[in-house]
Amino acid sequence: MATALAPDPAGVVAAARIVAAPDGRGATALPVLEGGGPFALRRVGGRGAEARVALVGAMSAPLGGDRLTLDARVEAGAALAFSTTAATIALPGRTGAPATYDTRIDVADGAALRWLPEPLISAHGSDVRTTTRVALGAGARLLLREEQVLGRADELPGRLRSRLTIHQAGRPLFDQELRYGPGAPGWDGGAVLGGHRAVGQLVVVHPVFEERPMAARPLGATAAVTPLAGPAVVVSAVARDALELRKVLDSWASELNDIIRAF
């Protein structure tokens, strides 16, 4: 069992919470939209039944020692799109303690979520541990993008440990942990990044995959699409930088516009 990290008195402890629910008129309301510290949540223009929320960074975070938590709940019949206005940069703190950034997402039966933050950048000297836990109800739809950039321009990366887990109707659908930077064995070798500095994935969960499952296949030299054991697929990719990575993920998404438009 993992040992919980002791709080760092020099770090920031902050939380944010989003709740999306049907408004009774065919659209989605946001009865809860709150955050403190580095979390500034803003409602932006929606699209059809979908509400949209953007996270505006109110301060530099995560710094070493910070403890950040983001919770999102999409009620049955609601649709939510989440984004950030800029990349998140993990920076070293004053004490050398690691930072944690935990995201918990709950999407009810038949609800829809597009979770599309900008990349997490692991700056030299930083140490950040991120977890994203997604619980999906039956028939829930999900489009989730996760991107990580190891180091800023011409900079070695810090330490980064990232875990993403997705369950649907109580059953595991996806569970992956990645570790990069100093102390992570083989992270830059040919079996992992092979000298690339940007890594990401796009996970799509949609009932259509129950009837039309996709086959596994490569997408160029550094990406692949893989069906999951459920109504879902994941695209994993590595690239030289954030721009190239985004192009790879977006090019795959464009192949599934008929599915994406249903969100």
Side-chain angles (χ1 to χ4, degrees):
M1 180 181 295
T3 301
L5 294 172
D8 184 344
V12 171
V13 178
R17 186 167 172 246
I18 305 167
V19 175
D23 68 356
R25 302 186 299 274
T28 298
L30 297 169
V32 178
L33 193 63
E34 56 190 23
F39 294 116
L41 297 170
R42 301 287 184 266
R43 178 165 189 160
V44 294
R47 182 187 67 175
E50 179 185 74
R52 295 186 178 185
V53 172
L55 173 61
V56 180
M59 56 189 289
S60 295
L63 303 178
D66 288 353
R67 301 286 181 267
L68 308 180
T69 304
L70 174 58
D71 285 281
R73 164 75 179 173
V74 187
E75 302 285 356
L80 175 68
F82 172 85
S83 63
T84 57
T85 58
T88 298
I89 303 178
L91 297 167
R94 291 179 289 174
T95 67
T100 62
Y101 194 147
D102 297 321
T103 302
R104 298 186 291 258
I105 300 169
D106 188 358
V107 185
D109 295 356
L113 173 65
R114 296 191 300 140
W115 194 265
L116 301 170
E118 294 301 307
L120 169 65
I121 300 174
S122 172
H124 181 63
S126 66
D127 187 349
V128 62
R129 304 171 186 186
T130 74
T131 59
T132 301
R133 301 178 181 90
V134 184
L136 302 173
R141 292 167 287 158
L142 174 71
L143 170 63
L144 183 147
R145 183 179 68 214
E146 184 178 69
E147 298 171 315
Q148 295 143 354
V149 179
L150 306 179
R152 293 167 292 191
D154 299 319
E155 177 186 65
L156 293 175
R159 294 184 178 92
L160 171 60
R161 186 176 74 187
S162 172
R163 185 171 183 182
L164 170 62
T165 61
I166 302 174
H167 287 72
Q168 185 169 48
R171 300 181 61 184
L173 186 63
F174 187 75
D175 190 343
Q176 176 176 273
E177 181 171 295
L178 304 171
R179 299 191 184 198
Y180 306 111
W187 70 273
D188 203 23
V192 186
L193 294 185
H196 295 87
R197 285 296 178 267
V199 58
Q201 53 201 0
L202 195 64
V203 182
V204 180
V205 183
H206 197 287
V208 73
F209 292 122
E210 292 179 328
E211 299 178 2
R212 291 188 291 161
M214 294 190 66
R217 70 179 192 274
L219 301 173
T222 60
V225 57
T226 305
L228 301 180
V233 295
V234 59
V235 171
S236 303
V238 297
R240 292 174 298 178
D241 54 35
L243 181 60
E244 183 177 285
L245 177 65
R246 181 64 60 83
K247 287 180 178 178
V248 171
L249 297 181
D250 283 352
S251 67
W252 178 82
S254 69
E255 294 185 21
L256 294 174
N257 270 338
D258 58 330
I259 294 176
I260 303 304
R261 280 195 294 266
F263 278 74

